[in-house]
């Protein structure tokens, strides 16, 4: 009789140990699944921030580099909003165009009279759209889509715009 009680005690101890192990495994599994979801969310946010902030900061830095009197302006080329940054060198006048074309932000640096157009620019960053508007010294840069953003820049250089 006592032997049966001991066997029952051993079986209950073994079941309790197995149940405790199962609870531990389930907790570990849920922790891994939750961690995976957190990692996925972080990756998604990083991609959003990258597209949104890098595009705008790239354009802001290009504008700051070329912020001279009357050297930055927004124009329409073939129905596309283009930011033109002009530079004077000993060999002549050059322009940098920053614009949206064929699914990406592009930049074209060329001599002013080279005859190159929008398809000739180098793709910089993929995005869903880009537009520029200018009112006096205030330049607005907007990227479109879910990851879009907006940046307002005041051109600090003296002189008027064309």
């Amino acid at each position: 009789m006592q032997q049966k009680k001991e066997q029952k005690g051993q079986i209950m101890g073994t079941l309790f140990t197995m149940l405790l192990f199962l609870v531990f495994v389930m907790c570990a599994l849920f922790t891994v699944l939750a961690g995976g979801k957190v990692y996925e969310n972080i990756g998604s946010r990083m991609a959003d921030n990258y597209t949104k902030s890098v595009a705008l900061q790239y354009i802001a830095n290009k504008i700051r580099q070329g912020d001279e009197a009357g050297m930055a302006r927004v124009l329409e080329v073939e129905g596309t909003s283009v930011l033109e940054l002009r530079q004077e060198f000993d060999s002549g006048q050059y322009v940098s165009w920053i614009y949206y074309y064929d699914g990406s932000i592009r930049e074209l640096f060329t001599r002013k009279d080279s005859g190159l157009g929008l398809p000739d620019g180098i793709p910089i960053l993929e995005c869903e759209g880009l537009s520029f508007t200018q009112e006096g010294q205030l330049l607005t840069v907007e990227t479109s889509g879910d990851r879009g953003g907006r940046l307002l820049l005041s051109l600090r250089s003296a002189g008027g715009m064309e």
Side-chain angles (χ1 to χ4, degrees), residues 56-68 71-74 83-85 98 132 137 139-141 151-157 161:
L56 294 175
Q57 291 307 314
Y58 174 79
I59 294 167
N61 284 331
K62 293 299 277 187
I63 291 168
R64 289 179 186 127
Q65 288 174 358
D67 193 6
E68 295 180 29
M71 298 304 245
R73 68 179 178 159
V74 175
L83 174 66
E84 181 181 78
L85 304 170
I98 299 173
F132 301 98
Q137 296 292 101
L139 180 66
T140 304
V141 181
L151 178 66
L152 297 172
L153 291 169
S154 176
L155 299 174
R156 297 180 291 171
S157 61
M161 294 294 182

Side-chain angles (χ1 to χ4, degrees), residues 49-162:
N49 286 339
Y50 178 80
T51 301
K52 183 177 184 177
S53 67
V54 169
L56 294 175
Q57 291 307 314
Y58 174 79
I59 294 167
N61 284 331
K62 293 299 277 187
I63 291 168
R64 289 179 186 127
Q65 288 174 358
D67 193 6
E68 295 180 29
M71 298 304 245
R73 68 179 178 159
V74 175
L75 52 109
E76 287 282 320
V77 177
E78 300 173 18
T80 301
S81 176
V82 174
L83 174 66
E84 181 181 78
L85 304 170
R86 289 178 285 152
Q87 296 175 337
E88 297 275 344
F89 294 109
D90 291 338
S91 60
Q93 192 174 53
Y94 288 79
V95 293
S96 288
W97 282 358
I98 299 173
Y99 55 94
Y100 176 79
Y101 184 82
D102 199 23
S104 63
I105 296 173
R106 292 182 178 227
E107 181 176 358
L108 175 66
F109 178 75
T110 185
R111 196 173 182 87
K112 185 163 178 77
D113 56 358
S114 70
L116 296 176
L118 298 179
D120 301 312
I122 298 170
I124 302 297
L125 181 68
E126 289 184 11
C127 76
E128 296 179 31
L130 174 69
S131 65
F132 301 98
T133 54
Q134 183 176 357
E135 295 177 22
Q137 296 292 101
L138 185 64
L139 180 66
T140 304
V141 181
E142 287 186 79
T143 54
S144 305
D146 294 339
R147 298 176 181 169
R150 183 177 179 186
L151 178 66
L152 297 172
L153 291 169
S154 176
L155 299 174
R156 297 180 291 171
S157 61
M161 294 294 182
E162 289 184 9

